[in-house]
Amino acid sequence: MLTEEDLQDRASQPLSRSLTRLPGVTLRQEGPLGTNGKLQVRGVPAEYLPVIIDGIEVSDAAAPKSYYDIGGQITSGIGRVELLRGTQSALYGSRALAGVLSLQSLRPTEDGLHHHFEIEAGSFDTLTASYGATLRRTSTELAFQVSHVSTDGFSASDEDDGNFEDDGYEATRLSVFAAHELQNGVVFGVNGFWQDSRADFDDGLYDFMTDTFYFGDIYGTPGNDYTENRSFGLRGFAQFSTGPVDHELAVTQYRLERDSFYDGFLTSYASTRTKLTWQGATDIGAGIRADFGADTEKEEAEGNGNARISGAFVGSTAAVNDRFDITTSLRHDNHSRFGGFTSGRVAAVYRADDDLLFRLAIGNGFRAPSLYELFSIYGDPTLEREESRSAEIGVEKSWGENSYLRATAFWIKAQNVIGYDEDLATCAAATGPFGQPGCYAQREGTARRRGVEIDGRYAFGAGHALTASYTFIDNQTDVPEWAQVPERVLNLGAETTFATGTTAAIDLQHVAGRADDLDDFTTVDLSVSHPVRDNATAYLRVENVFDEDYQWVRGYGTSGRAVYAGLRASF
């Protein structure tokens, strides 16, 4: 989990940069802020990681593979980040093989009216500003926040390959939250967000086999390729109890519209995701907590039809004794195109001592083909669902409240994986994009991942700490769509607080064992903050201190040394 404190002083920084400091998380970013970005958890592609923002799933139902493009998500406006790793099918659906990423916007944390302000400027003519207000009085909570970011960026195509054009990004985001508790204990609430953005990109060709653009600047056409996104999310919810049973009802809708301008040629995509959920929980005695619920979701992509998936789940958490807990869940889904599928998860925790515990979990799931894979001109309506299984075992040792060491070994397997096949004999479509042959088809072979995650923190003295995380992933796969992930990622960090209130931190990241013959790389970031008043802090952040030349994805540029300064205040 990343708290508000972990995310401070990083207003214009891509949120993905903080997430890749967590064990098991890697990134495929195709250029500067605003270009396509995909999170991979435990080496599993982004379409297996549902992303929830303020209770609203934000994956793009019109994309070739339905996932959340995190490339334009900055840290400003995010108050908390929670990443659950491993199969999480019960609450979040059967495709949550890699886990679930949940983001939360500004929320009231103390009584009264409070204002929050932040401004940051830096390299690439980047400017970010945000204002938020929260109110908490007796039974009412309100929150409002607006933020804007603008940057000239750098070339999405790597400048080392002779590319010359900067690719900028601009976005405005608004979020709201309101909740009120009645005298009988019933809570009604509504929250939502709206965002409008424009991101430049370079001319290029899309490779459906690897889900990647390969492109370069074209003289005579600089600055005329860009994408405009407009997204809107709304959620209404009610929380209440009937006797010993606690309930939550929620209805959500998410709409995303994308317009891409490519040398004057316009392509438009629009998708809508509407979901109704009910969740219940109760204590049934003997240390057992039962959870149950049902949901139904309809996804639509203009021009590519729609599909509905409905499911019900039941689960329990039982304290077998003072040291042993076991959690089970069982879910059955019915997909309008593929019928029923049952998924489940079993997890156990054994506390050998107050500061030492062991964990074990196994589960399974499935991913239905996206609407694009089914019904676009490159699709195949006879595609079958992908099926997956996963397991993990871990140990955690703690020293006091702020020091710990955790290690987890994991194993993941997926079959019937869908990919882009260029074999005309396989495809019903005669040609794919830009005239090349191919279509979406079931891949032969099995996709496997196994590996180890280790992370720890050692706090000492007053305000001093060392942090570390290491991820090793063994790429046992013969499916191209699963092959592109680093083998080893190491993160090291140190932070300290001085008597004056000044804080300083250094973070090192080393990525090795790269796919696609990419070079290993190491980056170092520095940050310093100082309170200028009781309610205001100034900060300085230097990214890629040693100006490392590297790529996350072949052919795509990354930032050299960059400097940002900001001021945040609350009153």
Side-chain angles (χ1 to χ4, degrees):
M1 177 184 291
L2 296 174
T3 64
E4 182 178 3
E5 184 179 7
D6 296 323
L7 300 171
Q8 286 177 348
D9 308 336
R10 304 183 182 193
S12 65
Q13 189 180 79
L15 180 63
S16 57
R17 197 174 183 95
S18 294
L19 289 169
T20 59
R21 306 290 181 186
L22 300 176
V25 181
T26 55
L27 176 68
R28 289 185 58 79
Q29 180 77 34
E30 299 171 350
L33 182 67
T35 57
N36 188 265
K38 302 174 185 176
L39 281 182
Q40 298 169 307
V41 176
R42 295 180 173 175
V44 177
E47 59 266 25
Y48 293 94
L49 181 74
V51 177
I52 314 295
I53 299 181
D54 297 333
I56 304 167
E57 184 177 348
V58 291
S59 57
D60 182 2
K65 293 183 181 291
S66 184
Y67 69 96
Y68 176 60
D69 179 2
I70 201 168
Q73 179 67 64
I74 59 175
T75 303
S76 178
I78 302 298
R80 190 182 72 174
V81 176
E82 184 177 11
L83 176 64
L84 302 177
R85 299 175 184 82
T87 300
Q88 307 290 332
S89 61
L91 288 177
Y92 302 101
S94 296
R95 73 179 178 92
L97 171 64
V100 175
L101 177 64
S102 179
L103 312 180
Q104 187 181 85
S105 303
L106 182 67
R107 293 288 185 271
T109 58
E110 51 188 334
D111 292 340
L113 176 64
H114 298 272
H115 303 269
H116 307 267
F117 173 77
E118 187 170 29
I119 187 168
E120 179 181 295
S123 297
F124 312 113
D125 289 330
T126 301
L127 178 65
T128 304
S130 69
Y131 166 76
T134 61
L135 174 68
R136 187 167 72 183
R137 288 181 180 167
T138 57
S139 56
T140 300
E141 292 187 350
L142 301 172
F144 165 85
Q145 188 166 37
V146 60
S147 63
H148 180 79
V149 60
S150 176
T151 178
D152 288 348
F154 49 86
S155 179
S157 300
D158 200 307
E159 295 175 355
D160 290 346
D161 297 330
N163 300 292
F164 58 88
E165 176 199 337
D166 290 340
D167 292 300
Y169 177 66
E170 185 173 6
T172 301
R173 184 178 183 85
L174 171 70
S175 65
V176 294
F177 171 84
H180 181 73
E181 183 177 357
L182 303 178
Q183 290 184 350
N184 61 3
V186 177
V187 176
F188 288 99
V190 62
N191 62 265
F193 59 82
W194 166 87
Q195 178 167 312
D196 184 66
S197 66
R198 169 177 163 147
D200 296 336
F201 64 92
D202 289 323
D203 297 85
L205 178 64
Y206 187 63
D207 184 345
F208 273 62
M209 290 188 65
T210 59
D211 197 19
T212 301
F213 264 107
Y214 293 95
F215 49 61
D217 292 333
I218 297 178
Y219 284 95
T221 63
N224 67 342
D225 300 318
Y226 62 93
T227 295
E228 293 180 338
N229 284 354
R230 295 168 299 279
S231 61
F232 171 82
L234 185 65
R235 174 176 179 259
F237 62 92
Q239 299 167 344
F240 58 94
S241 298
T242 55
V245 182
D246 300 323
H247 304 266
E248 180 175 88
L249 287 171
V251 59
T252 65
Q253 185 171 83
Y254 176 66
R255 174 140 179 111
L256 174 62
E257 299 174 354
R258 293 185 285 118
D259 294 326
S260 293
F261 296 85
Y262 177 87
D263 286 347
F265 180 73
L266 170 65
T267 56
S268 296
Y269 301 90
S271 65
T272 304
R273 186 180 300 276
T274 305
K275 188 172 185 179
L276 174 65
T277 64
W278 163 66
Q279 296 178 15
T282 188
D283 294 316
I284 59 178
I288 301 175
R289 177 77 169 174
D291 305 280
F292 41 85
D295 52 60
T296 182
E297 179 183 66
K298 182 179 181 180
E299 57 179 17
E300 303 171 83
E302 292 186 6
N304 286 322
N306 62 79
R308 178 177 292 277
I309 184 168
S310 301
F313 72 90
V314 61
S316 66
T317 301
V320 179
N321 54 44
D322 292 342
R323 295 189 177 277
F324 185 66
D325 296 340
I326 185 167
T327 301
T328 60
S329 64
L330 189 68
R331 179 183 180 92
H332 184 78
D333 286 300
N334 187 72
H335 193 281
S336 60
R337 305 286 180 179
F338 302 99
F341 184 86
T342 300
S343 58
R345 184 175 186 266
V346 177
V349 175
Y350 174 69
R351 288 176 290 278
D353 208 337
D354 292 341
D355 57 2
L356 178 65
L357 61 84
F358 296 88
R359 295 174 280 104
L360 173 68
I362 57 174
N364 71 321
F366 81 97
R367 184 186 79 88
S370 70
L371 296 175
Y372 194 95
E373 290 169 326
L374 287 170
F375 303 120
S376 73
I377 59 174
Y378 318 113
D380 182 353
T382 67
L383 289 173
E384 300 176 0
R385 65 194 177 207
E386 302 175 349
E387 298 187 12
S388 59
R389 289 179 286 169
S390 69
E392 63 181 83
I393 185 169
V395 59
E396 180 175 342
K397 170 70 175 177
S398 59
W399 295 269
E401 295 183 0
N402 299 313
S403 298
Y404 60 85
L405 180 64
R406 297 184 291 236
T408 303
F410 58 86
W411 173 87
I412 299 168
K413 177 181 178 180
Q415 295 177 301
N416 234 15
V417 173
I418 300 168
Y420 197 79
D421 195 331
E422 295 185 346
D423 184 359
L424 279 175
T426 304
C427 300
T431 59
F434 303 97
Q436 86 269 24
C439 66
Y440 285 101
Q442 234 81 41
R443 288 290 192 187
E444 295 183 1
T446 301
R448 293 184 180 90
R449 291 284 194 251
R450 66 180 182 182
V452 177
E453 300 166 343
I454 303 173
D455 73 306
R457 176 184 172 88
Y458 175 61
F460 59 97
H464 312 300
L466 301 174
T467 60
S469 70
Y470 174 76
T471 302
F472 171 80
I473 297 176
D474 185 7
N475 299 309
Q476 293 185 318
T477 180
D478 49 10
V479 179
E481 287 74 17
W482 279 55
Q484 301 180 20
V485 63
E487 184 181 70
R488 303 178 300 281
V489 179
L490 173 67
N491 291 291
L492 299 174
E495 54 194 60
T496 187
T497 301
F498 300 97
T500 59
T502 302
T503 64
I506 181 171
D507 292 295
L508 177 148
Q509 182 174 76
H510 177 68
V511 180
R514 312 288 308 284
D516 202 20
D517 294 324
L518 287 169
D519 293 335
D520 301 345
F521 68 85
T522 302
T523 59
V524 175
D525 296 346
L526 296 174
S527 63
V528 179
S529 66
H530 180 75
V532 294
R533 295 185 62 182
D534 290 342
N535 60 352
T537 300
Y539 61 88
L540 179 71
R541 186 176 73 252
V542 184
E543 299 177 358
N544 196 3
V545 173
F546 299 108
D547 202 25
E548 176 83 346
D549 189 5
Y550 68 101
Q551 296 179 340
W552 276 111
V553 181
R554 178 168 297 282
Y556 296 85
T558 55
S559 172
R561 184 186 300 112
V563 181
Y564 303 89
L567 176 70
R568 54 181 168 86
S570 59
F571 52 92

